[in-house]
Amino acid sequence: MCGIVGYVGKAKAAPIIIDGLKRLEYRGYDSAGIAVLHQGSFHVAKEVGRVAAVQHTLASSPLEGTRGIGHTRWATHGGVTRENAHPHLSSDGKIALIHNGVIENYAAIKKFLLTKGYTFASETDTEVLCNLVAYHFEKEPAPADGGSRLLDAVRKTLLHVQGTYGICVLGLDCPDELVAARQGSPLILGVGPDELVVASDVAALVSRTQNVVYLKDGELVAISGNTFQITNRDDVGVDPVIDQVTWKVEDSELGDFEHYMLKEIFEQPVALENAMRGRFSADESTANFGGLNLTPNELRGMGRFMFCACGTALHAGMVTEHLIERFARVPVECDHASEFRYRNSPLFTNTLFFVVSQSGETIDTLAAMREAQRKGFKVLAINNVVGSTIAREADGGIYQHVGPEIGVASTKAFTSQLLIGAMLALYLGRMRDMSVRDGTEYVAALKQAPDLVREALEQAPQIEEIAQRYARYEDMLFLGRLELFPIALEGALKLKEISYIHAEAYPAAEMKHGPIALINPECPSVFLVPQNEIFNKVISSMQEIKARGGPIIAITTAGAELPEGLADEVITIPACHEAVLPIVATIPMQLLSYYIAVARGCDVDKPRNLAKSVTVE
Ligand code: M6R
């Protein structure tokens, strides 16, 4: 959470930083600020609200200067106020700092700094960090080897800090320098011909350069003029590996769409094509993955799979659990990454771990992965962001290849995770008892997924009308069974995160064990009711809701015959293979939440209290 950008180059820093921050706003958007070092002073602009508010301020009082730092905040310590917005200046005015993360021992450090005469204008942990850098900068002499005094002060500061950080630091007395460091929060260095840019995400860099260095935990980068040097926490030099970013600036632009969420919903057919491209074997009866780093023999030897993830990504893991158990007949367990890391549950020896994470930076998922690796297990990652921390630390994995997902509500990343889960079930199934014939049929079904999603998207106008009628409700239930129960969970999550309607999801038959008490004419239920072996069971659950006056929206498959008058609204999706059904059934859920949120006047792409990438615990 929080987005940070630092710039050192020949161009004016402020417009570049503002542009970068706008592209990072999905990481946090309650306040923003920028500091530029020019002619021996820091010039700071900070505002509560969006980056646009800072941009507005700068329009009347532009900031000169070719080095600077900027931040878009998701509040942790201290409320949403101008004082708490970053950048922070040390009380002696000599250091400016931006920070993404949480300093856990800030209270003790603050107590110490108060005894040394430092003062505080905000309630943040970041200001404590900033003053501690100032303290070390003042206290320590310049390094004898002629090295950077700012780097030295930052390094000494970080030795005393517990928690997570991605930081950029400027020093008034070192006008040519910028020091950045990371521990637990992402940080990437963009290396342009005449400039260096540091940011939390490549999205903020690609308009300046495609050449990037993904910094690792414990690394510091010291920029001086147009050169940089990376060192690790032991002060040993690190040879930079410069990677090429494949994303283009246009990939993260809104185009003609009103919201990123809607754009990304409609990108799904192409996203699915990209996620499956080149991943079917020549004989078309199984899937292929390049980066698993396990031999077929090793994979076949795994007696159990474990999926850890958070939020939407966890729902993708839960659908994959159904598919792997059904088609490969291997037991699978799913856990909230945040719980797994502290639960210390007993684990079977031949278990293969998967983590699922769009961003690859979710701290709970990363910690769960590290915990499993610490216990000696291999962990594979299903991940979208190339070069993310999870991608780099995993033992192997599968990239989603769906391009940047900007909307805070995950859409195309989710359906591509479902597709990859379905392909994995096929791959593992074909290693065991699935026949060539069933495999061939399965592949043919998966290949239809993009077109089936296109067909489902054609329902958008009808779903928009339904949304108008249901936007006034404050409670909703989402009900599905088997592999569609996680889709019901996802429907409820989508609705609550962007429209702030209270929504819960259950396996449909669970209703009578308690939740049915909620049913009344003011609490609609969204039922996933495809034609399958338990169709009639779900119909019975619907009857129970109808009998109690609960309005019903039914999402069903073409050809299924719902009893006349049972559902108040019927949305029909194409009939399809059960491995593809979760993907197709997701589409109306996404559209319904989107149009309800729009009808309620909610800020769809920047829902309150949320951030896209959750890098704090
Ligand atoms: O980047 P990740 O996939 O690890 O993110 C996990 C969750 O934070 C994320 O899916 C969250 O639930 C989304 N906002 C849901 O739309």
Side-chain angles (χ1 to χ4, degrees), residues 310-314 356-362 365 390 408-411 417 490 493-494 497 610-614:
C310 301
T312 290
L314 179 64
V356 188
S357 174
Q358 186 285 131
S359 62
E361 300 294 350
T362 301
T365 311
I390 287 179
V408 167
S410 186
T411 53
Q417 287 160 356
E490 175 61 9
L493 175 62
K494 267 323 62 116
E497 72 179 326
L610 294 179
K612 177 97 184 137
S613 184
V614 184

PDB file of all heavy atoms in Angstrom, residues 310-314 356-362 365 390 408-411 417 490 493-494 497 610-614, ligand 1:
ATOM      1  N   CYS A 310      -4.988 -14.590  -0.693  1.00  0.00           N
ATOM      2  CA  CYS A 310      -5.874 -13.673   0.027  1.00  0.00           C
ATOM      3  C   CYS A 310      -6.959 -13.168  -0.927  1.00  0.00           C
ATOM      4  O   CYS A 310      -6.709 -13.009  -2.126  1.00  0.00           O
ATOM      5  CB  CYS A 310      -5.107 -12.441   0.494  1.00  0.00           C
ATOM      6  SG  CYS A 310      -3.753 -12.820   1.577  1.00  0.00           S
ATOM      7  N   GLY A 311      -8.107 -12.846  -0.369  1.00  0.00           N
ATOM      8  CA  GLY A 311      -9.172 -12.183  -1.111  1.00  0.00           C
ATOM      9  C   GLY A 311      -9.563 -12.946  -2.357  1.00  0.00           C
ATOM     10  O   GLY A 311      -9.761 -14.168  -2.342  1.00  0.00           O
ATOM     11  N   THR A 312      -9.663 -12.223  -3.452  1.00  0.00           N
ATOM     12  CA  THR A 312     -10.071 -12.807  -4.723  1.00  0.00           C
ATOM     13  C   THR A 312      -9.161 -13.957  -5.135  1.00  0.00           C
ATOM     14  O   THR A 312      -9.621 -14.979  -5.643  1.00  0.00           O
ATOM     15  CB  THR A 312     -10.062 -11.689  -5.795  1.00  0.00           C
ATOM     16  OG1 THR A 312     -11.145 -10.818  -5.492  1.00  0.00           O
ATOM     17  CG2 THR A 312     -10.226 -12.219  -7.181  1.00  0.00           C
ATOM     18  N   ALA A 313      -7.870 -13.791  -4.920  1.00  0.00           N
ATOM     19  CA  ALA A 313      -6.920 -14.838  -5.317  1.00  0.00           C
ATOM     20  C   ALA A 313      -7.195 -16.132  -4.543  1.00  0.00           C
ATOM     21  O   ALA A 313      -7.022 -17.238  -5.071  1.00  0.00           O
ATOM     22  CB  ALA A 313      -5.493 -14.350  -5.077  1.00  0.00           C
ATOM     23  N   LEU A 314      -7.654 -15.993  -3.308  1.00  0.00           N
ATOM     24  CA  LEU A 314      -8.004 -17.190  -2.527  1.00  0.00           C
ATOM     25  C   LEU A 314      -9.215 -17.878  -3.154  1.00  0.00           C
ATOM     26  O   LEU A 314      -9.270 -19.120  -3.221  1.00  0.00           O
ATOM     27  CB  LEU A 314      -8.289 -16.816  -1.064  1.00  0.00           C
ATOM     28  CG  LEU A 314      -8.686 -17.992  -0.167  1.00  0.00           C
ATOM     29  CD1 LEU A 314      -7.537 -18.996  -0.035  1.00  0.00           C
ATOM     30  CD2 LEU A 314      -9.104 -17.516   1.220  1.00  0.00           C
ATOM     31  N   VAL A 356      -1.205 -17.850  -4.784  1.00  0.00           N
ATOM     32  CA  VAL A 356      -1.849 -17.165  -5.906  1.00  0.00           C
ATOM     33  C   VAL A 356      -1.885 -15.680  -5.558  1.00  0.00           C
ATOM     34  O   VAL A 356      -2.357 -15.309  -4.480  1.00  0.00           O
ATOM     35  CB  VAL A 356      -3.298 -17.674  -6.120  1.00  0.00           C
ATOM     36  CG1 VAL A 356      -3.883 -17.094  -7.411  1.00  0.00           C
ATOM     37  CG2 VAL A 356      -3.350 -19.195  -6.137  1.00  0.00           C
ATOM     38  N   SER A 357      -1.345 -14.855  -6.439  1.00  0.00           N
ATOM     39  CA  SER A 357      -1.318 -13.424  -6.138  1.00  0.00           C
ATOM     40  C   SER A 357      -1.162 -12.626  -7.425  1.00  0.00           C
ATOM     41  O   SER A 357      -0.157 -12.781  -8.130  1.00  0.00           O
ATOM     42  CB  SER A 357      -0.157 -13.099  -5.198  1.00  0.00           C
ATOM     43  OG  SER A 357      -0.054 -11.710  -5.014  1.00  0.00           O
ATOM     44  N   GLN A 358      -2.139 -11.810  -7.725  1.00  0.00           N
ATOM     45  CA  GLN A 358      -2.045 -10.951  -8.907  1.00  0.00           C
ATOM     46  C   GLN A 358      -0.800 -10.086  -8.820  1.00  0.00           C
ATOM     47  O   GLN A 358       0.035 -10.074  -9.699  1.00  0.00           O
ATOM     48  CB  GLN A 358      -3.299 -10.073  -8.991  1.00  0.00           C
ATOM     49  CG  GLN A 358      -3.450  -9.216 -10.237  1.00  0.00           C
ATOM     50  CD  GLN A 358      -2.570  -7.984 -10.307  1.00  0.00           C
ATOM     51  OE1 GLN A 358      -1.911  -7.765 -11.326  1.00  0.00           O
ATOM     52  NE2 GLN A 358      -2.494  -7.194  -9.276  1.00  0.00           N
ATOM     53  N   SER A 359      -0.687  -9.348  -7.705  1.00  0.00           N
ATOM     54  CA  SER A 359       0.389  -8.359  -7.585  1.00  0.00           C
ATOM     55  C   SER A 359       1.743  -9.005  -7.316  1.00  0.00           C
ATOM     56  O   SER A 359       2.775  -8.478  -7.690  1.00  0.00           O
ATOM     57  CB  SER A 359       0.087  -7.401  -6.429  1.00  0.00           C
ATOM     58  OG  SER A 359       0.033  -8.140  -5.207  1.00  0.00           O
ATOM     59  N   GLY A 360       1.709 -10.140  -6.621  1.00  0.00           N
ATOM     60  CA  GLY A 360       2.969 -10.750  -6.200  1.00  0.00           C
ATOM     61  C   GLY A 360       3.626  -9.989  -5.065  1.00  0.00           C
ATOM     62  O   GLY A 360       4.787 -10.233  -4.728  1.00  0.00           O
ATOM     63  N   GLU A 361       2.892  -9.050  -4.460  1.00  0.00           N
ATOM     64  CA  GLU A 361       3.470  -8.254  -3.373  1.00  0.00           C
ATOM     65  C   GLU A 361       2.643  -8.348  -2.092  1.00  0.00           C
ATOM     66  O   GLU A 361       3.005  -7.708  -1.104  1.00  0.00           O
ATOM     67  CB  GLU A 361       3.588  -6.778  -3.781  1.00  0.00           C
ATOM     68  CG  GLU A 361       4.446  -6.502  -4.996  1.00  0.00           C
ATOM     69  CD  GLU A 361       5.927  -6.823  -4.795  1.00  0.00           C
ATOM     70  OE1 GLU A 361       6.353  -7.082  -3.656  1.00  0.00           O
ATOM     71  OE2 GLU A 361       6.652  -6.843  -5.806  1.00  0.00           O
ATOM     72  N   THR A 362       1.546  -9.071  -2.103  1.00  0.00           N
ATOM     73  CA  THR A 362       0.686  -9.145  -0.916  1.00  0.00           C
ATOM     74  C   THR A 362       1.488  -9.736   0.244  1.00  0.00           C
ATOM     75  O   THR A 362       1.976 -10.864   0.159  1.00  0.00           O
ATOM     76  CB  THR A 362      -0.558 -10.000  -1.225  1.00  0.00           C
ATOM     77  OG1 THR A 362      -1.225  -9.382  -2.319  1.00  0.00           O
ATOM     78  CG2 THR A 362      -1.479 -10.105  -0.034  1.00  0.00           C
ATOM     79  N   THR A 365       0.554 -13.189   1.724  1.00  0.00           N
ATOM     80  CA  THR A 365       0.834 -14.304   0.816  1.00  0.00           C
ATOM     81  C   THR A 365       2.340 -14.560   0.750  1.00  0.00           C
ATOM     82  O   THR A 365       2.797 -15.711   0.764  1.00  0.00           O
ATOM     83  CB  THR A 365       0.263 -13.993  -0.586  1.00  0.00           C
ATOM     84  OG1 THR A 365      -1.089 -13.566  -0.421  1.00  0.00           O
ATOM     85  CG2 THR A 365       0.305 -15.198  -1.488  1.00  0.00           C
ATOM     86  N   ILE A 390       7.020 -12.085  -5.008  1.00  0.00           N
ATOM     87  CA  ILE A 390       6.590 -13.490  -4.957  1.00  0.00           C
ATOM     88  C   ILE A 390       7.122 -14.245  -6.169  1.00  0.00           C
ATOM     89  O   ILE A 390       7.620 -15.366  -6.054  1.00  0.00           O
ATOM     90  CB  ILE A 390       5.046 -13.573  -4.836  1.00  0.00           C
ATOM     91  CG1 ILE A 390       4.637 -13.160  -3.408  1.00  0.00           C
ATOM     92  CG2 ILE A 390       4.527 -14.965  -5.183  1.00  0.00           C
ATOM     93  CD1 ILE A 390       3.163 -13.152  -3.113  1.00  0.00           C
ATOM     94  N   VAL A 408      -9.024  -1.541  -8.426  1.00  0.00           N
ATOM     95  CA  VAL A 408      -8.780  -2.195  -7.134  1.00  0.00           C
ATOM     96  C   VAL A 408      -9.548  -3.514  -7.063  1.00  0.00           C
ATOM     97  O   VAL A 408      -9.069  -4.507  -6.522  1.00  0.00           O
ATOM     98  CB  VAL A 408      -9.168  -1.235  -5.979  1.00  0.00           C
ATOM     99  CG1 VAL A 408      -9.231  -1.966  -4.659  1.00  0.00           C
ATOM    100  CG2 VAL A 408      -8.143  -0.107  -5.897  1.00  0.00           C
ATOM    101  N   ALA A 409     -10.739  -3.540  -7.629  1.00  0.00           N
ATOM    102  CA  ALA A 409     -11.511  -4.783  -7.658  1.00  0.00           C
ATOM    103  C   ALA A 409     -10.940  -5.677  -8.754  1.00  0.00           C
ATOM    104  O   ALA A 409     -10.963  -5.340  -9.935  1.00  0.00           O
ATOM    105  CB  ALA A 409     -12.970  -4.471  -7.939  1.00  0.00           C
ATOM    106  N   SER A 410     -10.443  -6.812  -8.346  1.00  0.00           N
ATOM    107  CA  SER A 410      -9.778  -7.698  -9.292  1.00  0.00           C
ATOM    108  C   SER A 410     -10.803  -8.376 -10.200  1.00  0.00           C
ATOM    109  O   SER A 410     -11.803  -8.919  -9.725  1.00  0.00           O
ATOM    110  CB  SER A 410      -9.002  -8.742  -8.492  1.00  0.00           C
ATOM    111  OG  SER A 410      -8.249  -9.534  -9.348  1.00  0.00           O
ATOM    112  N   THR A 411     -10.568  -8.350 -11.500  1.00  0.00           N
ATOM    113  CA  THR A 411     -11.510  -8.969 -12.449  1.00  0.00           C
ATOM    114  C   THR A 411     -10.769  -9.887 -13.422  1.00  0.00           C
ATOM    115  O   THR A 411     -10.828 -11.101 -13.298  1.00  0.00           O
ATOM    116  CB  THR A 411     -12.290  -7.887 -13.229  1.00  0.00           C
ATOM    117  OG1 THR A 411     -11.346  -6.969 -13.814  1.00  0.00           O
ATOM    118  CG2 THR A 411     -13.261  -7.152 -12.335  1.00  0.00           C
ATOM    119  N   GLN A 417      -6.709 -16.487 -13.315  1.00  0.00           N
ATOM    120  CA  GLN A 417      -6.284 -17.445 -12.282  1.00  0.00           C
ATOM    121  C   GLN A 417      -7.173 -18.694 -12.333  1.00  0.00           C
ATOM    122  O   GLN A 417      -6.706 -19.823 -12.164  1.00  0.00           O
ATOM    123  CB  GLN A 417      -6.356 -16.806 -10.889  1.00  0.00           C
ATOM    124  CG  GLN A 417      -5.249 -15.783 -10.650  1.00  0.00           C
ATOM    125  CD  GLN A 417      -5.553 -14.808  -9.513  1.00  0.00           C
ATOM    126  OE1 GLN A 417      -6.625 -14.822  -8.923  1.00  0.00           O
ATOM    127  NE2 GLN A 417      -4.596 -13.956  -9.192  1.00  0.00           N
ATOM    128  N   GLU A 490     -16.867 -14.715  -4.343  1.00  0.00           N
ATOM    129  CA  GLU A 490     -16.260 -13.645  -5.133  1.00  0.00           C
ATOM    130  C   GLU A 490     -17.302 -12.581  -5.478  1.00  0.00           C
ATOM    131  O   GLU A 490     -17.019 -11.379  -5.428  1.00  0.00           O
ATOM    132  CB  GLU A 490     -15.628 -14.256  -6.395  1.00  0.00           C
ATOM    133  CG  GLU A 490     -15.047 -13.278  -7.386  1.00  0.00           C
ATOM    134  CD  GLU A 490     -13.910 -12.421  -6.833  1.00  0.00           C
ATOM    135  OE1 GLU A 490     -13.433 -12.664  -5.719  1.00  0.00           O
ATOM    136  OE2 GLU A 490     -13.533 -11.467  -7.547  1.00  0.00           O
ATOM    137  N   LEU A 493     -17.811 -10.527  -2.399  1.00  0.00           N
ATOM    138  CA  LEU A 493     -16.642  -9.658  -2.143  1.00  0.00           C
ATOM    139  C   LEU A 493     -16.654  -8.456  -3.096  1.00  0.00           C
ATOM    140  O   LEU A 493     -16.444  -7.306  -2.679  1.00  0.00           O
ATOM    141  CB  LEU A 493     -15.341 -10.460  -2.300  1.00  0.00           C
ATOM    142  CG  LEU A 493     -14.047  -9.665  -2.179  1.00  0.00           C
ATOM    143  CD1 LEU A 493     -13.896  -9.038  -0.799  1.00  0.00           C
ATOM    144  CD2 LEU A 493     -12.828 -10.532  -2.465  1.00  0.00           C
ATOM    145  N   LYS A 494     -16.913  -8.750  -4.374  1.00  0.00           N
ATOM    146  CA  LYS A 494     -16.929  -7.654  -5.371  1.00  0.00           C
ATOM    147  C   LYS A 494     -17.964  -6.613  -4.982  1.00  0.00           C
ATOM    148  O   LYS A 494     -17.696  -5.427  -4.994  1.00  0.00           O
ATOM    149  CB  LYS A 494     -17.337  -8.195  -6.734  1.00  0.00           C
ATOM    150  CG  LYS A 494     -16.436  -8.669  -7.795  1.00  0.00           C
ATOM    151  CD  LYS A 494     -15.155  -8.092  -8.137  1.00  0.00           C
ATOM    152  CE  LYS A 494     -14.104  -8.111  -7.083  1.00  0.00           C
ATOM    153  NZ  LYS A 494     -12.948  -8.901  -7.370  1.00  0.00           N
ATOM    154  N   GLU A 497     -16.943  -4.625  -1.770  1.00  0.00           N
ATOM    155  CA  GLU A 497     -15.782  -3.727  -1.855  1.00  0.00           C
ATOM    156  C   GLU A 497     -16.047  -2.476  -2.695  1.00  0.00           C
ATOM    157  O   GLU A 497     -15.490  -1.425  -2.399  1.00  0.00           O
ATOM    158  CB  GLU A 497     -14.498  -4.449  -2.263  1.00  0.00           C
ATOM    159  CG  GLU A 497     -14.376  -4.906  -3.675  1.00  0.00           C
ATOM    160  CD  GLU A 497     -13.038  -5.603  -3.960  1.00  0.00           C
ATOM    161  OE1 GLU A 497     -12.014  -5.220  -3.383  1.00  0.00           O
ATOM    162  OE2 GLU A 497     -13.031  -6.531  -4.783  1.00  0.00           O
ATOM    163  N   LEU A 610      -9.655   0.945   0.755  1.00  0.00           N
ATOM    164  CA  LEU A 610      -8.936  -0.166   0.117  1.00  0.00           C
ATOM    165  C   LEU A 610      -7.709   0.313  -0.649  1.00  0.00           C
ATOM    166  O   LEU A 610      -7.558   1.494  -0.926  1.00  0.00           O
ATOM    167  CB  LEU A 610      -9.852  -0.901  -0.862  1.00  0.00           C
ATOM    168  CG  LEU A 610     -11.033  -1.641  -0.251  1.00  0.00           C
ATOM    169  CD1 LEU A 610     -11.857  -2.294  -1.339  1.00  0.00           C
ATOM    170  CD2 LEU A 610     -10.546  -2.701   0.719  1.00  0.00           C
ATOM    171  N   ALA A 611      -6.861  -0.626  -0.975  1.00  0.00           N
ATOM    172  CA  ALA A 611      -5.749  -0.359  -1.889  1.00  0.00           C
ATOM    173  C   ALA A 611      -5.538  -1.642  -2.665  1.00  0.00           C
ATOM    174  O   ALA A 611      -5.875  -2.724  -2.190  1.00  0.00           O
ATOM    175  CB  ALA A 611      -4.496   0.011  -1.136  1.00  0.00           C
ATOM    176  N   LYS A 612      -5.004  -1.516  -3.850  1.00  0.00           N
ATOM    177  CA  LYS A 612      -4.867  -2.687  -4.712  1.00  0.00           C
ATOM    178  C   LYS A 612      -3.862  -3.685  -4.159  1.00  0.00           C
ATOM    179  O   LYS A 612      -4.089  -4.888  -4.180  1.00  0.00           O
ATOM    180  CB  LYS A 612      -4.418  -2.219  -6.094  1.00  0.00           C
ATOM    181  CG  LYS A 612      -4.174  -3.330  -7.076  1.00  0.00           C
ATOM    182  CD  LYS A 612      -5.377  -3.519  -7.938  1.00  0.00           C
ATOM    183  CE  LYS A 612      -5.260  -4.677  -8.896  1.00  0.00           C
ATOM    184  NZ  LYS A 612      -6.509  -5.441  -8.932  1.00  0.00           N
ATOM    185  N   SER A 613      -2.758  -3.185  -3.711  1.00  0.00           N
ATOM    186  CA  SER A 613      -1.679  -4.081  -3.335  1.00  0.00           C
ATOM    187  C   SER A 613      -1.476  -3.957  -1.825  1.00  0.00           C
ATOM    188  O   SER A 613      -1.108  -2.894  -1.336  1.00  0.00           O
ATOM    189  CB  SER A 613      -0.439  -3.633  -4.107  1.00  0.00           C
ATOM    190  OG  SER A 613       0.607  -4.484  -3.867  1.00  0.00           O
ATOM    191  N   VAL A 614      -1.761  -5.022  -1.104  1.00  0.00           N
ATOM    192  CA  VAL A 614      -1.797  -4.926   0.358  1.00  0.00           C
ATOM    193  C   VAL A 614      -0.439  -5.356   0.920  1.00  0.00           C
ATOM    194  O   VAL A 614      -0.198  -6.533   1.177  1.00  0.00           O
ATOM    195  CB  VAL A 614      -2.955  -5.763   0.932  1.00  0.00           C
ATOM    196  CG1 VAL A 614      -3.055  -5.595   2.432  1.00  0.00           C
ATOM    197  CG2 VAL A 614      -4.266  -5.346   0.278  1.00  0.00           C
TER     198      VAL A 614
HETATM  199  O1  M6R B   1      -2.420  -9.092  -5.452  1.00  0.00           O
HETATM  200  P1  M6R B   1      -3.124 -10.214  -4.779  1.00  0.00           P
HETATM  201  O2  M6R B   1      -3.823 -11.113  -5.742  1.00  0.00           O
HETATM  202  O3  M6R B   1      -2.260 -10.987  -3.836  1.00  0.00           O
HETATM  203  O4  M6R B   1      -4.254  -9.525  -3.897  1.00  0.00           O
HETATM  204  C1  M6R B   1      -5.025 -10.269  -3.000  1.00  0.00           C
HETATM  205  C2  M6R B   1      -6.204  -9.472  -2.518  1.00  0.00           C
HETATM  206  O5  M6R B   1      -5.785  -8.353  -1.795  1.00  0.00           O
HETATM  207  C3  M6R B   1      -7.097  -9.013  -3.673  1.00  0.00           C
HETATM  208  O6  M6R B   1      -7.515 -10.078  -4.460  1.00  0.00           O
HETATM  209  C4  M6R B   1      -8.333  -8.262  -3.137  1.00  0.00           C
HETATM  210  O7  M6R B   1      -9.175  -9.137  -2.465  1.00  0.00           O
HETATM  211  C5  M6R B   1      -9.043  -7.566  -4.303  1.00  0.00           C
HETATM  212  N1  M6R B   1      -9.278  -6.196  -3.988  1.00  0.00           N
HETATM  213  C6  M6R B   1     -10.342  -8.155  -4.644  1.00  0.00           C
HETATM  214  O8  M6R B   1     -10.996  -7.508  -5.682  1.00  0.00           O
END
